[in-house]
Amino acid sequence: MDGNGRWATRRGLPRTAGHAAGARAVHRVIEAAARGPIDALTLYAFSSDNWSRPAGEVGNLMDLLERYLVAETDRCIANGVRVSIIGRRDRLRPGLSSTIGQTEALTCEGANLRLRLAIDYSSRDAIALAATQPPCSTGTSRSAFAERLAASCNTTATALDVDLLIRTGGERRLSDFLLWECAYAELVFVDTLWPDFDEDALIEAMRQFRQRERRFGGLEPAHAGNLR
Ligand code: IPE
Ligand code: MG
């Protein structure tokens, strides 16, 4: 979710206004995802590298995350959205940590959409932590490693392969997001700034996704047939 700051600056507003508008976009996109054919959605809310931003901006983002979770929990329950947070918890302020625990517990029955918010998240740190576990006696399978990876992100939800990754704001990089899970993700980069991202933009990204031919290292069916 990139582009909040630029969205605000272009309007002569403080960056905090961009983050507030970004939170409204989060609300819209979650509602659209819960209505549509999406089973799981992970939003990159705050990376471990975002701690390097000025303390005032970090504090504002933490306030916003906490307020957002408090305000949205009832709607998530009503819409069948199960919320979990991936990332480190030990550096979060106690109020945010306990809000996260409450939101996760209150929404755990949700069956329409599995929503993961990445907060203090670094994919490389998660992979490095998971890799410190001793190997299984038969070696560690990919699925066993995915479970360790989920545990190293402090969630019980096993790390799912990402089908579609959307990055807004015109940058074309992954920025330490779900590196293992994105092994075969289809990447869609859009110039739209995150606060302007809406249901139509989501539908357009899914349209692009459906046009991709996913071969996972194999051959397209026509050629595979010829070689049999
Ligand atoms: C993304 O928007 C929001 C977070 C990192 C929380 P930015 O804050 O990176 O916005 P730009 O890139 O400065 O426009
Ligand atoms: Mg940015």
Side-chain angles (χ1 to χ4, degrees), residues 33-137:
R35 275 196 301 272
I38 296 173
D39 295 327
L41 173 69
T42 306
L43 297 172
Y44 204 1
F46 188 87
S47 80
S48 296
D49 290 326
N50 287 148
W51 290 114
S52 67
R53 294 191 178 199
E57 177 159 342
V58 170
N60 171 252
L61 285 167
M62 294 297 146
D63 286 346
L64 199 58
L65 284 166
E66 192 172 335
R67 280 205 310 273
Y68 184 86
L69 288 172
V70 169
E72 294 288 319
T73 295
D74 283 349
R75 283 205 65 76
C76 287
I77 296 168
N79 288 334
V81 176
R82 177 178 188 166
V83 183
S84 37
I85 273 60
I86 59 170
R88 283 181 66 163
R89 307 252 171 131
D90 57 310
R91 299 189 289 198
L92 303 180
R93 51 167 82 149
L96 178 56
S97 286
S98 63
T99 300
I100 286 171
Q102 283 161 20
T103 302
E104 287 180 330
L106 289 167
T107 62
C108 71
E109 305 283 328
N112 282 343
L113 174 70
R114 196 167 120 188
L115 171 69
R116 302 193 307 171
L117 296 178
I119 300 176
D120 195 1
Y121 174 81
S122 155
S123 184
R124 286 189 297 191
D125 286 352
I127 292 169
L129 186 59
T132 60
Q133 307 287 319
C136 306
S137 54

Side-chain angles (χ1 to χ4, degrees), residues 134-145:
C136 306
S137 54
T138 53
T140 304
S141 66
R142 289 178 180 179
S143 61
F145 190 78

Side-chain angles (χ1 to χ4, degrees), residues 1-6 15 50 53 167 169 171 173:
M1 301 187 286
D2 204 5
N4 294 353
R6 282 164 282 164
R15 292 177 59 83
N50 287 148
R53 294 191 178 199
R167 180 163 186 155
E171 313 290 0
R173 52 178 172 258

Side-chain angles (χ1 to χ4, degrees), residues 16-32:
T16 49
H19 294 313
R24 295 193 288 276
V26 168
H27 173 90
R28 286 198 302 269
V29 168
I30 292 171
E31 299 245 310

